[in-house]
């Protein structure tokens, strides 16, 4: 069993500390664990749309894992923008279970359309059977707010 941890906050911040505790506990039970820091990934934005990034690599890591824990601070009651960008870049129809099942069934019955297997940014667009593997997911959200000035 392989567990992937995605740390979405500051290095050694509260979200990462909690993620490391969860991964350590899983490792003690014999699970192979790996942690990826969101801040270490290069992600394409609209301004750099002609460049390649780490989205395909991360998606492969996730598809190879048996489980994932995402640990993130919350900013204004939401996830960090970089996490939203990763989700937008790495996922989509190619990781949708129904889409992949139907595409694989069409291929099996010889009805697959001529399909491009790589997008211009390096993402594999062919249906990937790893999407159908059952996985467990966990989320750690760390919230809080600074105290008003002068409060004790």
């Amino acid at each position: 069993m392989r567990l992937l941890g995605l740390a979405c906050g500051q290095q050694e911040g509260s979200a990462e500390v909690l993620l490391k505790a969860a991964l350590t506990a899983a490792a003690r039970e014999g699970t192979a664990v790996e942690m990826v820091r969101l801040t270490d990934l290069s992600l394409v934005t609209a301004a750099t749309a002609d460049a390649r990034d780490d989205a395909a690599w991360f998606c492969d890591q996730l598809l190879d894992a048996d489980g994932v824990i995402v640990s993130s601070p919350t900013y204004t009651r939401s996830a960090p923008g970089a996490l939203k960008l990763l989700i937008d870049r790495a996922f989509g129809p190619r990781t949708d279970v129904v889409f992949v099942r139907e595409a694989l069934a069409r291929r099996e019955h010889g009805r697959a359309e001529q399909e491009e297997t790589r997008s211009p940014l390096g993402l594999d667009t062919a249906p990937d059977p790893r999407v159908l593997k059952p996985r467990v997911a966990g989320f750690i959200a760390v919230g809080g707010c600074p105290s008003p000035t002068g409060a004790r």
Side-chain angles (χ1 to χ4, degrees):
M1 176 162 200
R2 180 171 170 263
L3 180 62
L4 177 65
L6 178 63
C8 300
Q10 294 179 347
Q11 185 172 343
E12 302 304 326
S14 297
E16 185 171 307
V17 168
L18 292 171
L19 176 61
K20 285 181 177 179
L23 294 176
T24 299
R28 273 195 303 261
E29 297 296 320
T31 301
V33 299
E34 179 182 357
M35 187 181 85
V36 174
R37 285 189 180 105
L38 181 59
T39 56
D40 291 342
L41 299 178
S42 171
L43 297 172
V44 167
T45 63
T48 58
D50 59 339
R52 290 186 182 248
D53 67 8
D54 294 326
W57 175 85
F58 180 78
C59 188
D60 277 338
Q61 297 303 305
L62 183 62
L63 292 177
D64 286 339
D66 299 297
V68 63
I69 300 174
V70 178
S71 185
S72 173
T74 57
Y75 301 122
T76 342
R77 298 180 296 274
S78 186
L83 177 56
K84 294 175 188 176
L85 177 61
L86 176 63
I87 292 166
D88 287 347
R89 290 285 305 121
F91 305 106
R94 68 194 186 91
T95 58
D96 181 275
V97 171
V98 173
F99 176 84
V100 170
R101 270 193 194 127
E102 290 179 7
L104 291 173
R106 281 194 310 275
R107 179 181 287 169
E108 184 178 320
H109 292 95
R111 295 189 309 254
E113 299 89 29
Q114 192 77 10
E115 51 190 53
E116 180 65 34
T117 59
R118 286 246 170 238
S119 73
L121 297 176
L123 295 172
D124 190 352
T125 59
D128 188 333
R130 295 179 299 169
V131 169
L132 305 177
K133 178 172 92 171
R135 285 179 192 76
V136 177
F139 299 92
I140 301 170
V142 180
C145 66
S147 299
T149 305
R152 293 191 187 252

